[in-house]
Amino acid sequence: MKNILITCSFILCIMIWTSSCKKDFLDTKPSTEFSGDDIWNDPNLIEAFVNGIYLNVDNPANGGDGLLKGEFVDEMHDQWFSFFEFNNSLITPDNLASWPHENWDKLYKNIRSCNIYFSKINGAKIDDAQLKDRMTGEVHFLRAYLYHQLVSLYGGVPIIKKAYGLNDVFAVKRDSYSDCINFISKECDSAALLLPLVQSGSNQGRVTKGAALALKARALLYAASDLHNKPVFSGYAQQELIRYTDGNQANRWRAAKDAAKAVIDLGIYRLYKADPAPGDSIAQNFANIFISNGTEEDIWVRYFKTTSLNGSPDLNSLSLVSGPNGYHLYGQDTPSGEMADHFEMSDGTPFSWSDPSKASQPYKKRDPRFYASILYEGVKFKPRPSDITNLDPIGVIQVGTWQRWDASSNAMEEVYGLDSRKGPVENFNGGYTGYYLRKFIDPAINGQFSTNGTPWRYMRYAEVLLNYAEACIELNEESEARSALNQIRKRAGMPNITDSGNALRNRYRNERRVELAFEEHRFYDVRRWLIAPEAYQQFSGVSVVYKLNADHTTATIPTITPIVVQKSAWLDKAYLFPISRDEMNKNALLVQNPNY
């Protein structure tokens, strides 16, 4: 991370310490390569140890390690067709390899590092009380974040607050879902008491009080949602592991609202370009959030350096992994037609393929965030690589097919766009949906050879406003909800929402979907809202054809029609992940999640 001083000595330190944690958190060995006294007697090494916990937090921007979670839900399509089916065929207790993100094993390894810190810090030789408090607050936050990730995937998990030694009893039961949420909430409170409001200089990228409060708000929002308050798995004997079994859901929504309000009341965050100036490109304003090094909207970000693709494993490679194949890029994470279609028209009405006036020119007069988030046929992107500029000197996305008349053969021929799966440039990397990712991609970066230097935003203020609005809707406090939503829509250049009741809930969910598109939220939202059956039906895309006219000229405006790229289905068991067979075999007290 850019400003957390990842030096060679830090990397060495982390490699040494993590080498002792390569097995499950219940199957560890003491470090022999680097004595504990050396680390805990040196403030710089202690800080390096904390940096290592940050470094091991899942990095969605590194396509070398994994893929955006949007590929595991209806946001994005993977050109290898591998991941949309993971919920009902690939993810089992015996096969979790197709999930490249955080999992039980990875998360508990990092939690163990947190627990080592807490076991050592009080006896450590560190005279700077402010530094000690700040690092302790950071580790409280990180432990809360790691447990939040666990609970979001598995439900209740064992709450481990110490680093196990070889002589300890390793069998541990899962704690109830309620107890896990209480633990996460208390960890966030502890972090908030110790962390500064802002981090500056070389500490940028470290968490703050606002980040701790925002994490608490997110965790409580998830906890108040239907997945953890309704009997989804009525035949499961240990309901307390996966949901609340007592209390009042409205009270949980109230707690979620209050937690989000606490972030708002800090008064230090605001939407970037909240009130667009006359003449502003609203789409560019929105795009700039994700390619800037920092805005007033950022709450917790992960920094990177622009480097060669042979550089640090801690990198942002989205330009390479998600860029169009016609730029010698991989075209892996491509927006789905479902995602594209949920961006409203600029007047606030829904887009619909059944409306001829909208379907004839589907990329006209859309929500400005559409243009900042998705690359589509005919949009100018950036100059092509030098070996391709003769084919496209302007740099326009080409996913279509041109029908042209060949007078010499007296027949029609088809010419395929540079960014299509039949084009002349690495067509095997072409996407299937007719769309490519625009959000997060800095056009100034040559993704073929360099990584993005722009941060990944784990938390930003727009999410807090959305969380607040959702809790208000569920509490029937609709005026407050509309106020928060309309702040976001004003920034986006969109008309105010005036709906009420279930219509307001649906507008909110769509607003959350487009504002936070591809930012790792949709995967969890469809689960906690219990709407996965509608989200896991199919991936769609578009067919783009410049048709041959009767006079043998080629149309200049394409005919664009929706197509089905891949079918899917849903099994309710995928609302929660299974605990792996290895973990179950190691710990006889663990209880498996329902239907695995």
Side-chain angles (χ1 to χ4, degrees), residues 312-350:
S312 165
D314 184 50
L315 49 80
N316 180 343
S317 63
L318 286 177
S319 285
L320 172 68
V321 172
S322 300
N325 60 296
Y327 288 81
H328 295 305
L329 307 173
Y330 294 172
Q332 179 114 7
D333 305 290
T334 58
S336 67
E338 284 73 22
M339 185 66 249
D341 294 349
H342 275 77
F343 287 88
E344 296 173 348
M345 306 301 293
S346 59
D347 63 2
T349 59

Side-chain angles (χ1 to χ4, degrees), residues 1 73-74 78 88 138 201 239 253 309 322 446 450 547:
M1 282 176 274
V73 70
D74 58 351
D78 165 48
N88 55 32
E138 291 174 37
Q239 293 285 316
W253 284 119
L309 291 172
S322 300
N446 184 347
S450 299
K547 291 188 174 181

Side-chain angles (χ1 to χ4, degrees), residues 87 151-156 174 177 225-245 526-533 570-579 591-596:
N87 63 47
V151 168
S152 298
L153 293 174
Y154 299 97
R174 293 174 66 179
Y177 181 80
S225 301
D226 284 352
L227 175 60
H228 301 295
N229 289 271
K230 293 186 175 181
V232 180
F233 303 99
S234 57
Y236 188 59
Q238 292 182 271
Q239 293 285 316
E240 74 282 358
L241 297 181
I242 58 176
R243 69 179 182 95
Y244 289 99
T245 56
V526 300
R527 285 162 169 75
R528 65 187 184 85
W529 292 335
L530 298 178
I531 62 168
W570 174 257
L571 296 178
D572 280 350
K573 67 178 184 179
Y575 277 121
L576 297 168
F577 270 28
I579 302 171
V591 175
Q592 183 60 276
N593 273 331
N595 300 334
Y596 287 105

Side-chain angles (χ1 to χ4, degrees), residues 212 239 298-299 303 321 514 530:
Q239 293 285 316
D298 295 338
I299 296 178
Y303 287 96
V321 172
V514 300
L530 298 178

Side-chain angles (χ1 to χ4, degrees), residues 186-376:
K186 290 176 182 177
E187 284 287 274
C188 290
D189 289 340
S190 297
L193 289 172
L194 295 170
L195 290 168
L197 275 174
V198 296
Q199 301 276 17
S200 60
S202 63
N203 288 325
Q204 281 186 296
R206 298 185 184 280
V207 294
T208 60
K209 179 176 182 176
L213 296 179
L215 175 59
K216 179 179 179 179
R218 182 189 291 181
L220 292 179
L221 185 86
Y222 284 23
S225 301
D226 284 352
L227 175 60
H228 301 295
N229 289 271
K230 293 186 175 181
V232 180
F233 303 99
S234 57
Y236 188 59
Q238 292 182 271
Q239 293 285 316
E240 74 282 358
L241 297 181
I242 58 176
R243 69 179 182 95
Y244 289 99
T245 56
D246 56 12
N248 183 286
Q249 188 176 9
N251 290 340
R252 290 189 268 278
W253 284 119
R254 178 69 59 190
K257 176 190 173 182
D258 291 346
K261 187 66 161 54
V263 183
I264 296 169
D265 288 346
L266 290 176
I268 61 173
Y269 304 112
R270 61 185 185 276
L271 296 174
Y272 176 73
K273 299 284 188 178
D275 189 5
D280 268 5
S281 168
I282 296 175
Q284 191 59 54
N285 284 351
F286 190 72
N288 286 344
I289 296 172
F290 306 99
I291 62 173
S292 71
N293 283 326
T295 75
E296 58 269 41
E297 189 165 338
D298 295 338
I299 296 178
W300 181 32
V301 302
R302 184 177 190 138
Y303 287 96
F304 307 96
K305 291 182 179 179
T306 301
T307 183
S308 71
L309 291 172
N310 294 320
S312 165
D314 184 50
L315 49 80
N316 180 343
S317 63
L318 286 177
S319 285
L320 172 68
V321 172
S322 300
N325 60 296
Y327 288 81
H328 295 305
L329 307 173
Y330 294 172
Q332 179 114 7
D333 305 290
T334 58
S336 67
E338 284 73 22
M339 185 66 249
D341 294 349
H342 275 77
F343 287 88
E344 296 173 348
M345 306 301 293
S346 59
D347 63 2
T349 59
F351 171 79
S352 173
W353 287 105
S354 62
D355 183 332
S357 65
K358 296 173 181 178
S360 62
Q361 297 190 70
Y363 310 136
K364 299 291 186 183
K365 298 182 180 180
R366 300 292 292 274
D367 181 330
R369 290 170 292 190
F370 173 87
Y371 307 109
S373 303
I374 294 176
L375 294 172
Y376 54 91

